Amino acid sequence: MDLNMGCGAGLPLSFLCLALLQFQLFGCGCQGHQFQEPALPATFQFTHSLYNATIYENSAARTYANSKVKMGISVTDPSWDIKYRIISGDEDSFFKAEEVLLGDFCFLRIRTKGGNSAILNREVQNHYLLIVKAAIRGEAMEAWTKVNIQVLDMNDLRPLFSPTTYSVTIPENTPLRTSIAQVTATDADIGSNGEFYYYFKDRVDIFAVHPTSGVVSLSGRLNYDEKNQYDLEVLAVDRGMKLYGNNGVSSTAKLVIHIDRINEHAPTLSVVTHIPSLMDSDPTYAIVTVDDMDDGINGEIESITIVAGDPLEQFYLVRTGLGGREYRIKVAKTVDWEDFPYGYNLTLQAKDKGTPQKFSAVKIVHIGNLEENESRVTFEEDAYEVELNEFAPPGVVVVAVKLKPEPHNVEYKLSATEDADHFHINPQTGLITTAQHISILERERFVLEVMNNVNEMKVRVIIKIEDANDHTPEFHHQSYEAFINESMPIGSSFLVVSATDNDQGENGYVTYSIGSLNPLPFIINQFTGVISTSEQLDFESSPQSYRLFVRASDWGSPYRRESEVNVTVYVENVNDNKPLFEKVDCRGVISHEFPVGEQITAVSAIDVDELELVKYRIISGNELGFFELNSDSGVLFLTKALNRANPKDGLFSLQITATDGENFADPMFLNISLVHGKLTAKNYACRETGAAQKLTEKLLKRAKVNNKSKMEDLFLDLYSINRQSPQFDNSFPSEIAVKEDLPVGSTIVKITASDADSSFNGKVVYTISDGNTDSCFNIEMETGWLTILMPMDRESTDKYILNITIYDLGSPPKCAWRLMTVHIQDANDNKPQFLQERYFVNIPEDTVIGTEVVQIEATDKDLGRNSEVIYTVLTNTHQFAINASTGIVYVTGLLDRELITNCTLKIEARDQAENGQQYSVVALKIIFADVNDNAPRFVPSSYFVKVLEDMPVSAVVTWLEAHDPDLGLGGQVRYSLGNDYNGKFEIDRTSGAVRLSKELDFEKQQMYNLTIRAKDKARPISLSSVSFIEIEVVDVNENLYAPQFSEFAKMASVKENVPIGTSVLQVAAKDDDDGRDGDIQYSIRDGSGLGRFTVNEDTGIINTADVFDRETTASYWLTVYATDRGVVPLFSSIEIYIEVEDENDNAPISSQPIYHPSVMENSPKDVPIVQIQAYDPDYSSSDKMTFRITSGNPQNFFTINSKTGLIMTTSRKLDREQQAEHVLEVMVTDGSSSPKHSTVWVVVHVLDENDNKPLFPQKVYQIKLPERDRKKRGEPIYRTFAFDKDKGPNAEISYSIVDGNVDGKFFIDPKTGMVSSRKQFSAGNYDILTVKAVDNGRPQKSSTARLHIEWIKKPEPSAIPLSFDEPFYNFTVMENDRVNEIVGVVTVQPSNTPLWFDIVGGNYDNAFEIEKGVGTIVIAKPLDAEHRATYNMTVEVTDGTNSAATQMLPDLSVSSIFSFYFRFPASAVFCFCFMGSYEIEFSKYGTRKSPLTRQTGQNDSPGNSS
């Protein structure tokens, strides 16, 4: 199809917006909406604000730029005529903008201009940013976009070297494959056009250049003597030249490689120092070994010199044998040690004979001063300070003095001082012991000086004597006396005793105590010696004097020392007791005839103090003088006759006291009754006080205390005399055995001894007085434990005879001694000693199993099993073993020097002691001599290489690497090829570099498998191995041309609803390449039709993959790619516009599914009501629709315009009261040959006009009412209601009384029509009222009715209570029931009396009324379930006196029927249901609603009844 090259062509109207609007309208539920015309604003803008396009440099005129996306503007208005123009970014005028219209898109195309001499050059400018403006001809609408033109590279430049000359210097020992230089070239082209290869212009085997990096590496052995400079030429050849068939375009660089002779390794020095003896005539101070790893003259040593540290040139080096690599340091003359007391630090350096010469690192050797070595011996401490117990007897260890290091055969001795006489030193061990008792010396400090026979050094030994408790506290007086009186208070001090102790510390700290066998009334302060009373003293019951012993004790250890002093305390008597009567409270009788002067009775008192005699006297009761009391004897006499006596109550009451001169006794009473007659007896009854018994007890107690005091005076000190000598226990061992390895400090045996004396006299101390020649033993002075003092050595001394001496600490001390033999048992304390410090042996690596290598031998100084030696190889090895008894090492496994060049075995020699075995380890180094037993081994085992087919000749394909671990010629490898594919490949025998010797061609052969061999140079037998190289030839991209379509875009069409698989069109592209590079495949990769169309990848035929609907999508865009099958595939694309052709497959669609217009009733003809708006998605029939009313208009109230769909009134008048709504069915039909139609409903709502007046149900109302008194005035009388067929305000009614209301006796509710009274009415009266009902319309309409009221006497009360006939009532009310229609009738018993009914509650909005005297319930107002769905009314009935009431629980709902039930004895409940078009099931307890039931009120359950 030809393309229109302008953008002004017409475009079919798209109904996409209409389809979306239809979908929206149908999704809006039932709400009506007026149809709106689609009026979307046209969008004029580019599809992208920035486009990317490409074009090749050097392109010819009128070449179009390529873009992966559509550039341009979507045409939404068919009237647009779009033009494009480049505004900026093309300063050189290379480009032109063109517009191409296809379908609903105006393409922007950028091309090069024609007739321009300048061409695009990427290397000058690689991109252009164009600003393009789009404008509509004749309109002020513009759009802008940016187009980034990327200039693609063409291979129009060759590589260039920079610099063009290179020079490097390398040593002749440079390892193979080492990178030695890198040449660098650049190509201004990019991508594959900028790629090039490096290679040598002339064939060079010893060097290789990497074809892409330019790195030059060494591929052969260098030899300075053969050639010391190489001049090479390196070419850089553009890879693209091969593709274009030109191999002559390249650049050249020169590379000069200089070879240097190399002395690689410097000599290395190793030194072993030696300390010669002063007796040596030609001493050697060190042995120096020098090594150089170079070969030939470079590895020969010219000399070793002393470069520093010998300013007097006293030392020189002498070369010895072993190849002339060992030197000895000797002295040339007498060494000056005085100026260099610490020796010399000689700095050595060696140099080889190589070119250039290399020097070793300097080595410092210390030459020690021999004289200094001997003067290094010193004592372990600068001075020894020790402490010694003052109780120490002779033979106690003080300290061991040692030299370090201790020379052999050293002897120690004490300098001749006064202090040295008290001590002894072991000359061999340096052990100092006591020579006599220390305590008798009364010294606190000793200073000894120890000398040795090695040098003149001396050391001081300071011995501090630890104070021992060897002094007894001494009192200042031999005895003490004190006098105290018995009245002294408790705690009173009366005497201070004091003692001192000459010891130090706690040994001299004194405390006091009272020593007594009996308790004493005294205490002593243990620290101060103050004696005070602890009890109340009583001279009468205690001794008159006390004799006590005060003991002074120190706090020493192990025992306290004590002394005693005699203290006598005398107690003085004090008159501190009052007399006590023996009897008190006496009663008796006396006769009137009792003779005067006769003794009546006697009183007695006792004084414990016994200091004075007791005197008696009468205090009271003898005022008449009848009685007399003897003051000394206490006898009572009658002094006057009693015949005339008349005491009170016939009773004499005498109060008598006694006194010792200071104290008075408590008074006693003597009551004497006066009687008639003669009495013979003089008995008096008294109460005993026990005073005599108490006195007796005190006297006995004092007598006992005095006896005990005399017993203590007989006590004698029997413990201060040292009577007994210490004795060894019977268990004393005369012989013991000790293992020589017992650690120092270990206990051996405890010596037990005893002494029958007490305290210090019985304290035993222990010592070794003789036999401890090596000072190996010590005995703890106080415990008797024999311990190890110094290490024992059975190999030196195997027996000791010790003299164990014991002493007590008495004064003077006593002692005893016994001999003890100590046998030293062998311990495994010596390791086996090898005859050599290290073993070396050389064997060939092919030594057979079982061959003896060397014998290892060791000896042990111990005895028995401790000296038996067993040999073991500690190193984990399977190659060698050792004979456990003989120590012969032999081969047990195969040896391989290549795995391990030498083997160092750890050989253990272990003795066979039962416990604590000793062992020594020696190293045996076995060196394996090489044998050619390994073939070269390739690493990796095989090779896989990918090679580009255009790789230049002589390029290295890969490097082979084979390892041969053998030494010498057996480890030198040479490489060879088994096959070279007619000379295409070659290999370097030394380096293993595999080179390309002929060009490759992927199209001819893609794989090569080369067999390679590696062989060593051993003689007479060499070994070899074989591997292979798998070479894959990688195809080089020769895909020069991309597929090209003849057009950049194409247009096609397809009918809607065609079956899947229908062919639409065929696209074709052309590729100028050959082979698979020119083989094209097609694919759809983008566009709005992606997934709805398919393309045959081989033929390019596009087929449908979906069923199309033009009304949904009128057109599709596809981006079809044509891609070749090259290694790097190239592609191009074409835009396809496919238009879907229309078929009449849709019925017309109205803008609304249902219309709800309204019109006033009684409207005249041709009043417009509503216009049906519809459209047809089908393009062909969208303007051919017709309209027709098919139902709902039987009386021809309406007419419709068949073309426009306008519905209007006719001459027939509409009456809302007859029919408020008219439902019309309108059919919309399209005008096609096979017409389709749809139906729409129009619900016409007739609006009300006030054309009806209110009407009363009756013209005359008559009612009989019982007379009423003042109390009931104001109560309702009767309701007169009217109804109006109109609606809204036209049906709103107001009531008034217009006649008969004389004196204003009545009034009426203007809203409900209820007439009430203002006054009382008596029987026989009759009133006639005229009631007027007026509506609220304009103009107003009205009507009247008459109400006749007859007042009768109140009926007599009925004996039967009022009750309703039914337990409940069931009524049905329709929402559209008319006013004044009867709902139901309620009846009450008894019925033979006048009754009056009223609705007294729940009558919301007064919708219902009940006939006053009948009980008939009627509708009083139009019902509206939407406004009120439930009523709860109470009906009351009365006979004038009694009344009954009921509550009504209706559950009303529009479109539902509800049933109600009532439970009451004398009442009824009325339930009304508004019934619509749907029913509800009724049950005893409620209702079950249908899904379309409107929501009811809150009182829709029987449970809500009140």
Side-chain angles (χ1 to χ4, degrees), residues 411-429:
E411 290 186 3
Y412 303 92
K413 65 178 179 178
L414 294 175
S415 298
T417 63
E418 180 183 352
D419 291 349
D421 296 337
H422 309 303
F423 298 92
H424 175 264
I425 188 168
N426 188 320
Q428 282 75 37
T429 64

Side-chain angles (χ1 to χ4, degrees), residues 344-364:
Y344 293 83
N345 289 326
L346 304 183
T347 302
L348 308 182
Q349 191 174 42
K351 60 181 177 181
D352 60 19
K353 295 181 179 180
T355 303
Q357 272 190 332
K358 285 205 170 185
F359 294 84
S360 70
V362 295
K363 191 79 172 181
I364 297 177

Side-chain angles (χ1 to χ4, degrees), residues 738-750:
V738 179
K739 291 194 68 172
E740 64 173 323
D741 62 347
L742 203 61
V744 172
S746 300
T747 57
I748 303 173
V749 66
K750 184 175 185 180

